[in-house]
């Protein structure tokens, strides 16, 4: 049975293909203004898809890099076999990465339960810490309007400017805003009557994946409930 994340990845891959076909069609019609706007949409979709694929498999970027290296060295290979050892090494590394365990549905269930408890008002909120120092985290609470507020904070005095993330990483995420007063990134999510948790999971995933490299974070996160 497909998970929410698998369905989300499928949707973004379908949307990517739709935009590629739209761009080709507009090029044939010489409608270059439409090509420009579709290309902008495609760039944002690709960024979102990359984040989701990395959430689905933490080794995604490493796998893609190894595939590119294998392709590049294979194209340069000649009859002398100069690059064969290097290509074989890349192939071995690729196979080893593919054998590693990916995200377990039981692990994501912890986050699901926290989100359900929040929207059902069984808890005041929860915090996702990016490291043991607890200097980088996402705080999730319900505010007076009934919306879910997600706030990405970086409290380290040596931390990077989160405004950069808004301008260059989350520029295609209109719900994510930079709060000058707290120097944090804030997202507000309105819940519908069906209490669909997917928009919250998707937004948290984007915040985690999109910010972890800029903030110099590892792959392990910690969740703490606010009873």
């Amino acid at each position: 049975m497909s998970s929410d994340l698998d369905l989300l990845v499928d949707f973004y891959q379908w949307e990517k293909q739709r935009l590629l076909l739209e761009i080709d069609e507009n090029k044939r019609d010489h409608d270059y203004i439409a090509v420009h706007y579709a290309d902008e949409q495609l760039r944002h979709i690709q960024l979102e898809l990359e984040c989701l694929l990395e959430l689905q498999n933490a080794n995604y970027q490493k796998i893609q890099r190894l595939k590119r290296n294998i392709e590049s060295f294979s194209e340069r290979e000649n009859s002398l076999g100069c690059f064969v050892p290097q290509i074989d090494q890349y192939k071995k590394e690729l196979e080893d990465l593919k054998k590693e365990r990916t995200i377990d549905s039981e692990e994501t269930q912890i986050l699901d339960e926290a989100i359900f408890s929040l929207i059902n008002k069984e808890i005041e909120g929860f915090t996702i810490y990016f490291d043991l120092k607890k200097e980088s985290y996402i705080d999730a609470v319900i505010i007076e309007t009934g919306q879910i507020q997600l706030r990405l904070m970086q409290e380290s005095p040596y931390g990077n400017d989160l405004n950069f993330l808004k301008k260059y990483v989350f520029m295609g995420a209109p719900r994510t805003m930079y709060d000058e007063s707290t120097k944090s990134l804030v997202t507000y999510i309105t819940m519908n009557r069906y209490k669909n948790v997917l928009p919250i999971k998707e937004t948290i995933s984007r915040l985690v994946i999109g910010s972890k490299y800029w903030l110099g974070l590892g792959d392990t996160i910690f969740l703490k409930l606010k009873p």
Side-chain angles (χ1 to χ4, degrees):
M1 182 177 179
S2 298
S3 66
D4 290 341
L5 182 58
D6 293 333
L7 294 174
L8 202 55
V9 168
D10 288 343
F11 169 77
Y12 273 90
Q13 288 176 332
W14 175 86
E15 184 66 9
K16 177 182 176 180
Q17 293 304 314
R18 185 191 68 79
L19 286 169
L20 287 171
L21 291 173
E22 182 179 319
I23 289 171
D24 287 342
E25 183 178 344
N26 289 329
K27 283 182 178 178
R28 288 195 298 270
D29 295 338
H30 303 288
D31 189 349
Y32 296 109
I33 294 178
V35 169
H36 171 75
Y37 284 112
D39 190 62
E40 284 291 304
Q41 293 179 53
L42 178 62
R43 187 164 63 87
H44 293 311
I45 286 293
Q46 184 62 39
L47 285 173
E48 300 284 358
L49 180 58
E50 293 282 327
C51 289
L52 292 169
L53 287 170
E54 189 169 0
L55 182 67
Q56 196 176 48
N57 186 342
N59 291 322
Y60 172 75
Q61 294 294 346
K62 295 178 182 177
I63 289 173
Q64 295 305 112
R65 175 177 55 79
L66 287 170
K67 286 181 177 179
R68 289 193 298 269
N69 287 343
I70 292 170
E71 182 179 356
S72 175
F73 276 86
S74 296
E75 290 175 353
R76 294 154 56 189
E77 184 57 75
N78 54 36
S79 59
L80 298 177
C82 297
F83 298 115
V84 170
Q86 189 63 62
I87 293 172
D88 289 342
Q89 176 63 31
Y90 287 142
K91 287 181 177 180
K92 182 180 183 304
E93 292 179 24
L94 181 60
E95 289 303 313
D96 290 342
L97 281 177
K98 288 182 176 180
K99 292 176 183 178
E100 288 188 13
R101 186 177 63 90
T102 56
I103 290 177
D104 194 323
S105 60
E106 292 182 2
E107 295 173 356
T108 63
Q109 186 66 27
I110 297 173
L111 178 59
D112 290 347
E113 291 175 357
I115 295 174
F116 276 116
S117 296
L118 177 62
I119 63 178
N120 289 324
K121 299 182 178 179
E122 297 171 358
I123 57 174
E124 291 186 3
F126 60 86
T127 303
I128 298 174
Y129 294 102
F130 293 166
D131 52 31
L132 290 173
K133 294 181 179 179
K134 299 183 178 180
E135 292 176 339
S136 304
Y137 57 88
I138 296 173
D139 209 35
V141 295
I142 294 182
I143 58 177
E144 293 179 356
T145 61
Q147 293 174 298
I148 304 293
Q149 175 186 275
L150 301 175
R151 185 181 296 275
L152 173 62
M153 296 287 296
Q154 166 76 329
E155 294 184 347
S156 170
Y158 308 105
N160 292 317
D161 184 8
L162 294 183
N163 196 24
F164 176 93
L165 286 177
K166 172 55 186 172
K167 289 180 179 178
Y168 299 103
V169 179
F170 299 119
M171 56 186 173
R175 291 187 303 184
T176 301
M177 301 167 287
Y178 180 70
D179 183 356
E180 181 65 41
S181 62
T182 59
K183 299 188 182 304
S184 63
L185 291 183
V186 184
T187 302
Y188 298 99
I189 302 174
T190 301
M191 297 300 301
N192 58 31
R193 61 192 180 94
Y194 300 109
K195 297 184 177 180
N196 181 16
V197 303
L198 188 55
I200 305 174
K201 289 178 64 177
E202 179 186 356
T203 304
I204 290 175
S205 300
R206 290 175 180 174
L207 290 173
V208 171
I209 300 300
S211 61
K212 71 174 188 175
Y213 293 117
W214 174 246
L215 298 177
L217 306 171
D219 293 327
T220 304
I221 60 176
F222 310 89
L223 189 148
K224 181 179 180 180
L225 300 179
K226 296 180 180 181

